[in-house]
Amino acid sequence: MTSLAGKSVLLIVGGGIAAYKAHELVRLLKTRGATVRIILTKAAEQFVTPLSLSSLSGEKVYTSLFSLTDEIEMGHIQLSRSADLVVVAPATADLMAKMAHGLADDLASTALLATDKRVLAAPAMNVRMWSHAATERNVESLKHDGVSIVGPNEGEMACGEFGPGRMAEPNQILTAIVEMLKPRAQPLAGKKVLITAGPTREPIDPVRFISNHSSGKQGYAIAKAAAGLGAETVLVSGPVSLPIPPGVQVMPVETAQEMLDICEGEIPVDIAIFTAAVADWRVVTESSEKLKKTGGAAPNLTLAENPDILATIARSAKRPRIVVGFAAETEHVTEHAVQKLEKKGCDLIVANDVSRTSGVFGGDRNTVHLVSVSGVEDWPNMSKDEVAQKLMERLAQMLVPQQKAVE
Ligand code: CTP
């Protein structure tokens, strides 16, 4: 039984019939030695009482945003920051909608918006509410913001309907909590990782450019994983609309030349990973004025090849110890990747199929093949976050072989 001694959990109880299970969850957490502070929403007070929960937790239960004594004893900001983990159980449809939209109109939602800690939500609601498009959107947004979700389970509901929507059992929630509170190995502490991501934009005139469909998602996920393993992480990013991962330094760029200049300024590094979909060509002479239609022939754009950022860094005097390239291919995926490994001088190529039917560009999943001199390793279809985590753990092992990446 993993001890949670010294760990502090902020449990936010939403107003649903499953709120009664909060008692058992508090009991389990206390058995493991955790400190449990509890916030009840107004609706939750209709299902459970502060008295019963404070008897179990041995702590004051918080209910109101505007209680002066609470602000003196422990303000709502501190309440959310002093915890190691915030758990929302039950996470009602209403509470999740508030979380997804950043509303802060009561103590629970304010604490959730103010926290800098990881958040675990255990949804509980009627089956139709759970499958409603609005809830699906909200769950997606929460996952995107890094909120972990446990459950819901399928089964008979308090309202008599059957389907997914029952809150995960306290034991399941406890398992998820233990997993999230596990000390994380930091095998890349003291190491520097450089990552390129997103597309580049090569200007034609002040309003037009050459670019591509890269979303930057895989590169951002790798940066998040690298920072999570303790690396000083620099992400040189073309224009994308993604949040900056925690602990990552982002250097925004537009063109391939700018991306190369920044990368050259950042080396030496321990690991460099080139996920950017660099535009292969740029327009030789960018027009300083918007090109106008003349009613006749279309303008002729003279293109020049962009510098190869990966090959330049891989062959530089300050070569990173490990250089990883990505190969975006639409056919003969691994064959092309094997050629690129040699041509670009890198240690590893992560090859992926970006044909229209693969859904890789802009999608959240990826099927990759790891190509090195020792052969090709096919990875199963995974989320881009999982690919990132697995790749960074592998690179950490290559860099620091005596250490196991994850304990
Ligand atoms: N790359 C780079 N600079 C470039 C082009 C590509 O750093 N100017 C990097 C990419 O970030 C990726 C790898 O090289 O890691 C392979 O990119 P890809 O687009 O698959 O290959 P290309 O070199 O563009 O080759 P081709 O267009 O022939 O497939």
Side-chain angles (χ1 to χ4, degrees):
M1 187 165 99
T2 314
S3 166
L4 294 177
K7 298 289 179 197
S8 167
V9 172
L10 175 65
L11 174 63
I12 296 180
V13 183
I17 186 71
Y20 78 92
K21 292 186 186 171
H23 294 115
E24 177 62 2
L25 179 59
V26 174
R27 196 189 65 74
L28 290 172
L29 286 166
K30 292 296 291 177
T31 313
R32 302 281 180 123
T35 301
V36 189
R37 298 210 171 86
I38 301 166
I39 293 177
L40 290 187
T41 64
K42 224 169 181 41
E45 284 186 77
Q46 302 293 321
F47 295 93
V48 287
T49 67
L51 184 61
S52 61
L53 285 165
S54 69
S55 310
L56 281 166
S57 65
E59 298 273 342
K60 181 178 159 54
V61 169
Y62 300 81
T63 53
S64 168
L65 182 57
F66 300 109
S67 156
L68 195 58
T69 46
D70 289 358
E71 285 301 316
I72 290 164
E73 286 166 21
M74 182 175 284
H76 60 273
I77 304 281
Q78 225 230 307
L79 195 54
S80 65
R81 303 258 171 97
S82 62
D84 296 299
L85 181 71
V86 180
V87 178
V88 190
T92 59
D94 176 65
L95 197 44
M96 289 206 296
K98 280 183 173 170
M99 288 165 75
H101 293 273
L103 295 187
D105 63 352
D106 62 3
L107 181 57
S109 51
T110 307
L112 281 161
L113 196 61
T115 192
D116 57 354
K117 297 295 162 26
R118 298 178 75 197
V119 177
L120 172 71
M125 66 197 73
N126 166 273
V127 56
R128 288 200 188 281
M129 290 167 83
W130 175 248
S131 55
H132 194 283
T135 305
E136 284 183 352
R137 273 197 307 275
N138 291 336
V139 171
E140 270 320 299
S141 303
L142 290 174
K143 285 185 182 164
H144 185 264
D145 292 348
V147 173
S148 301
I149 309 280
V150 54
N153 294 342
E154 196 170 285
E156 186 145 0
M157 324 218 46
C159 54
E161 289 185 61
F162 188 90
R166 277 176 67 90
M167 188 171 88
E169 292 306 318
N171 248 319
Q172 265 177 285
I173 302 175
L174 179 75
T175 306
I177 292 172
V178 168
E179 189 56 38
M180 288 176 79
L181 287 175
K182 253 195 204 154
R184 293 174 163 233
Q186 299 241 297
L188 292 178
K191 307 288 181 207
K192 182 170 174 182
V193 177
L194 173 69
I195 297 152
T196 67
T200 64
R201 262 184 199 172
E202 310 299 333
I204 297 171
D205 68 13
V207 296
R208 302 182 179 93
F209 53 79
I210 300 173
S211 193
N212 57 65
H213 289 302
S214 170
S215 66
K217 283 182 181 173
Q218 187 63 79
Y220 273 61
I222 290 172
K224 183 171 128 195
L229 294 182
E232 175 193 347
T233 308
V234 177
L235 176 61
V236 189
S237 173
V240 296
S241 46
L242 292 172
I244 297 175
V248 173
Q249 189 194 350
V250 174
M251 315 280 270
V253 296
E254 294 253 331
T255 65
Q257 188 59 52
E258 285 166 13
M259 191 172 264
L260 175 61
D261 292 345
I262 299 271
C263 287
E264 286 185 317
E266 288 296 329
I267 51 175
V269 298
D270 297 283
I271 303 175
I273 307 165
F274 298 87
T275 75
V278 182
D280 288 317
W281 301 282
R282 66 180 181 283
V283 178
V284 174
T285 323
E286 178 192 348
S287 169
S288 56
E289 281 145 33
K290 185 181 166 196
L291 296 175
K292 303 295 280 180
K293 287 194 289 293
T294 54
N300 272 326
L301 299 177
T302 310
L303 302 180
E305 202 168 306
N306 265 330
D308 191 312
I309 301 165
L310 163 54
T312 310
I313 299 292
R315 303 229 153 84
S316 87
K318 291 192 266 178
R319 185 188 196 275
R321 281 175 61 195
I322 301 177
V323 175
V324 182
F326 267 65
E329 305 292 350
T330 53
E331 67 255 328
H332 307 300
V333 178
T334 47
E335 289 88 327
H336 285 154
V338 172
Q339 289 160 12
K340 275 183 191 165
L341 186 74
E342 167 74 16
K343 193 174 97 191
K344 304 218 177 198
C346 43
D347 303 292
L348 267 184
I349 286 266
V350 181
N352 60 356
D353 179 355
V354 293
S355 55
R356 270 181 193 281
T357 48
S358 71
V360 168
F361 266 142
D364 290 318
R365 300 189 72 79
N366 210 350
T367 307
V368 305
H369 315 272
L370 216 59
V371 181
S372 68
V373 281
S374 25
V376 178
E377 206 180 294
D378 299 320
W379 285 5
N381 181 263
M382 289 188 274
S383 73
K384 288 184 176 174
D385 277 337
E386 287 164 339
V387 169
Q389 190 63 30
K390 196 169 150 111
L391 177 67
M392 282 318 305
E393 284 171 12
R394 172 70 62 90
L395 297 176
Q397 271 173 335
M398 284 167 67
L399 193 70
V400 197
Q402 68 280 16
Q403 216 172 316
K404 251 183 98 206
V406 166
E407 269 124 38

